[in-house]
Each structure stands twice: as structure tokens, then as C-alpha cells.
Amino acid sequence: MADKPVYEEASIDGQPSKLASIPASDTTVWADASPLLQAACAGLRDGELIHGDNFNLFAAMSALEIMDPKMDSGIVCTYYSIDEAIENGAAPIPISLDSTIDVCRTIDIMDHLLACEAAWHKGHSLAQTVFSCIYLLRLDRTAPHALLHSYCRIIRATCKAVVSVVSDARTHEEEDLFTLTYGLPLNGDGDDKCLSILNAVEETISRQLRACKATSSKRRLPEDLEPLQSNPNLEEGFCKALLCRLRFRKHFFHVLSCMKRPQGRGLESARKHIASCLTELESILKSADFLRSCFDESCEGDIDDKTTASGFEPIGFDAMLNSRLSAPTPPRAIKILSWKKAVEYFVKLLHDLDVICSYSLDPHLESLLRFVVQFQKSQPDLVARSHLQLLLVQDGKLYGRDPFFAVINKAAALPEATKNHDIQKNESFLQLGMLVMNLLKILCTNAAWQRRKLGKFLQDWRVIYVQLELAFRNEYGEVSSSSNDENTCMKIFQHILLWVEEQTFWIAFRFLILGFELELYSTGEYCMVYWYLYAVLIKLAEKTHLMMAVSHDTAKRKGKKKKDSPKDLARESRIPPAVLFLQCYICLAEGLTMMLAALRNEIPVFHGPSPFNTEHEKFVQHFELLQRACIPDHVSYLSYKESTTHARFSTLAMYNYFKDAQRIAKEVKSSFSNDPERLAELRKLEQVAEHNSVAQNVICRLGALDPSLKVSFEFSHHPFFATVVVKRS
């Protein structure tokens, strides 16, 4: 039971024990219900509750615990309404009659708003973070306070811009609360002038800072300038602290505006503003020492946990004021990020946005997919991923300029002339364009959402392949190697069918490795996961090799060579570096599969039966979506068992797949000397192969003879290929 009394309505004849903050109507008054609830509590055992005759399980799921801050959205902590909070002096204007304190507390409000904004970006409710600021809820009241008014206006305009970006990208499905504004005053008159208002305030403070420096050099001061506050010794420090905060807000708003320009036209300007933002954030961090030294009194608790640079609690905030607006569900318990962590968040966000802005808008789909996957490795937050998606897909086109059929045409190694062919109006090709567009959108979501969507998405790719194949056969009959290659439509079908297969196996590969990132696989399941990964990689390498052969043939036709030289023939007979790269993956996956199978078969302790489900059930749980789409064909739990049942240490010693992976990684590195990302990946693969090769030799030599041998797996060198660690217990 809470300390504060709870009130219920009584008849006009009743005598209320205490006046409530919400006034009674003409026919009702408030009566104290606390004794009634206390009596009910005394008569109830643990687990019991008071309910009506029609109460059921469904109602129980929606029941609220009265006076529990996490459950009862109607609970009042301090104020019932914004007006009541203002009447009680929760958000005074001016903040203090002492001008020095007023400036210092204004900076505290700025810092706390930055922390609230970071918490909102992390997925918390806008109502309980940024709009927990009473000044923002009644922005017109701040007009006499030019500094606070300009800052609150730019904050509101920034929130509106961020909501717009995330809503347009539709990535807010990950966090439903992010774009819900609950009737908050997000749209205000004159917000289009927020920059001009901010610039005017910035100019005034800049002049004041110049005046401070002029004073120190004994130059004459402008007569129309009034100091920010009354202490001359603190004036310069306050000017610098305010300027870096105002300039950060200005440049950050410019970043959001520039990045939203169509076809990536504002990316170069955005990068300049990002650099300015990072500079101002450094200055904001440096201002902390000055702000803490302004007053003799020190704040309580660890300064690193505070939401302001000074360490003092900000004025004008109440997180519970909007709790009843937050959602039709109980309010979330929200912990606002500390000021330092908020600055760190914005530094990372700006670096992520800079990576997006520095991208060359490559029209080659393979390069684009690699860029998005690489970008996701830094685990960007929702705002950065939304900007990336909006850049990639605009008006149903790649970067808002390239039709998706033209993108597919290039990816499928078709001649440039075919990109405007009428076949693109075919229903199946239109659907394929939509699939590519949706693939890019899915790859911009977070890892969990991405994996779930990709698993279901595989069936769509399988269906479109079948539809294209049927359309091809209906049009041209069985595929033959006759001179029909000259037929443009036939060529388009052949190339795109092969490309769709390659892309389908790439999606399946992505689906499987995301399971490692999300830690969905237990050690006992690694064997089946690497076996399935091996099966998918074999098909992916095969289709990639065929696709590259087709691409080479197209390039050769374009060059119109009359006769191949011996050097050209030798070059064609070599396996392309991209296929060897995949071959390195294949060797590692096969090596880990056979090692894990041998450990399971010869050391029962290593892989005991699960108390919850069988190995077959686990196989279905992990690969059901792949099995439904028949990826790859003829792969089942039975074929997995047949492949791994006879693995033994003796057979493992006969062939070392890790040595093959190590050799391939060394050989192919020179082919990727201009590709730092793949070069770094090959180094990681080489390290895994080297460690696992040694571990396999130790296991084969001592595994069956030494019961004290302990084998474990860690991902210290690579995110999804495990490094085997062998120790004696």
C-alpha cells in the first residue's frame, strides 16, 4: 500500500477526509478509500485478488495492480496536470532571479534534454523522455527567456525530423513506441524559423564572448552588450559552454535535413555538419570541469551517473507527468542515460551517419549488399538504420534514380542495352524488383528482426524462381545450348534465373550466420548448424562460379574478341577469387562439422541428450524455414545423420580441412589487396584455420586416450566460425 491516500467518489452527503487535487463535481466529492483497501489486503492471502463474477483469464492478463508505479498508469507521483506543475513552480520563468544560477540551470536543462533524446533514440517513449520537460510542453511560456526558448524550439523541430525519418522508413516496427507522439505538441507554429531564432541567440552570445576576450586585452567594450550573468570571472566559461551546445543542435538539425534530400544530393553537406557536430561534442565534454567548479556546493553521488555536466538535478522535468499519455499499456520503467553516455551515443550515431554519407552510391547490387552487411557489424541504432534505408530506397528506385530492373540487369551480368527491355513489364519481373527492394529494407533492420524476416522471405524468392522458370519454359521450352542465345528475351531469362538462385542461397547464408550473432545456437547444436552452413555454401559457391562465368562471357562478347590467346584461356580455367573466398568458408564449415561429429560420437560426455527436446526437434526448430523453401534441395535431418554418424578421430586424422582453409586464405589474399574488408576477413579465417588445425591434431592424438581432455569453442577470432580450445582439466 502506498503512503499517499487513495480517493474514491462518494455521494454529496459523504464527508471527504481530505481534499483531492482533482476538484469534485456538483454531485460528487472525494472520500478516502485507503482504510477499505487496507482491510481488503488484510483479508487476502498471497496470490489472491478481489474480482467480480465475470472475471476470467483474459481479464487477468489485463488487470492492473493499484498504486504500483509500473502497472498503474493513473498513479500520481507529484502533479496531476501540467498546469498544476507550473502553478507549483516546477518550471519557473526565469529559472532563477540570480542570473548566474539562471544560466547554469539552463545548461542543466540542455544537458538533461540531450540525455532524454538519447534514451528516446534507444526505444523509450517520447512522452516519458524528451517531453518529460515541462518547458517543451508549454513552449510559449519560454518566449521571455530567449536562450531556453531557442533551444526548446530546435529540440522540438529535431524530434519532428527524426520521427519523420523513422516513420518513412517504417523501421519503427522494431520499437512501436518510437514514433507514437500521443498528442504531444510536436508540431508548433513557427518551428520553420527555429534556426533563425537559434542563430540570433548564438550571435548574441558570440559577441559577448568576443567582449570577454576584449576585456582581458583591455580593449573597449560595445555599449549595447549586457553580460549573460553577474559574475565577470565566469562569463567567458558560460559563453563557451552555451555556444558549443547551441552549435551542436544547429549542426545536428542540418545533418538530418541534408540527409533527407532526394537522391543523396545532401550527403556531402551532411558530412561537413557531422564534422562540426563532433567538434562541438568535444567542446561540450570539456565544459564539464568548468561547470562543476562554478559553485562551492558539490553534488551527491557518482558524477558519471548524472544527466547533467554540472552534476545537479535539472529543473522543469517530471517523467510521470505524461505517463497516462504513454500508451494503452502500463508505463515503462525508464532510466535516462547519463550525460556522458548520451554524448557517447551521439558520437557513435554521427560516426554511423558519416559512414552512410561517405558511401559512393554504387549501382552494383553485390557491392551494395556487402556495404550494408559491413555497416550492420557496427550495430547502428534505429535512427542511423532508418537514414540508410531511406537513402537506398526512394520512390521505388535504388537511390531514387535507378529502376530496380536495371539494377537486377547489371547484377545478372546482362548487357547494358537490355535494361530498358519491355520484358520488365512482365508480372514476375515486377515482383522480383519488389523482392530486391524489400531485401534492402530488411537488411537495414536490427539483427533479430532481420533474421526473422529473412527466414520467411526465402519462400518468396523460391516462389519467384519457380514462376520465372515456368514462364521461361512456356515461352521457350526446355533449356538448350543451341544458337538461341542470340534471343534477347531468352538470354534475360537465363541470366536472371541463375542470379535469383545465387541470391537465394546468399540470403540463406545470411540467415544462418545471424543465428551466431544472436547467440541462438548452443554448443551441442554447432555440429548440425555447421553441416547446414556447409550445404548452403556449396550451392552458393556453385551458383557464384556459374554467374561469374556468365559475366565473363558477356564481357568477352562486348569486347568482340576474335581469338582467345593462351593467356586468356589459362585465366579462364582458374577459379575466381570470389569463389575461392567461399571455398575457404566451405573448408572451415566442413572441418568443424566433422570435428564436432567425431567428438559427439566418441566422447558421450561432450554431447548428452537434451532434457527438453530431441536432436531431430532441434534440427526442425533451426532449419524449418529453410526446409520449407527446399534450400538446398534434398537436405534433411536423415541426410545430416548419415553424413555425421560415422565420423571418428581415426577418420578425422586422415584429412585436415583446416589446412586447406589456411592454404586458400593465404593464396587468395593477394587478389583482394585493394579490398581492406575482405582482406581483414581472410586474416580472421586464416587465424581460425591455424588454431583449429593444431587443435584437431591434439584431439586426434589424445582424444580417445585422455579422459581429462576438455574441448570448448569460442568466437575470439571470427564472429561465426568457432575457434576450438583444447585443455586438460
Side-chain angles (χ1 to χ4, degrees), residues 49 511 550 688:
L49 73 160
F511 171 81
V550 166
V688 173

Side-chain angles (χ1 to χ4, degrees), residues 149-167:
H149 185 70
S150 63
Y151 195 86
C152 287
R153 268 195 179 279
I154 196 75
I155 282 279
R156 186 168 70 177
T158 301
C159 289
K160 184 180 176 182
V162 171
V163 166
S164 173
V165 166
V166 177
S167 298

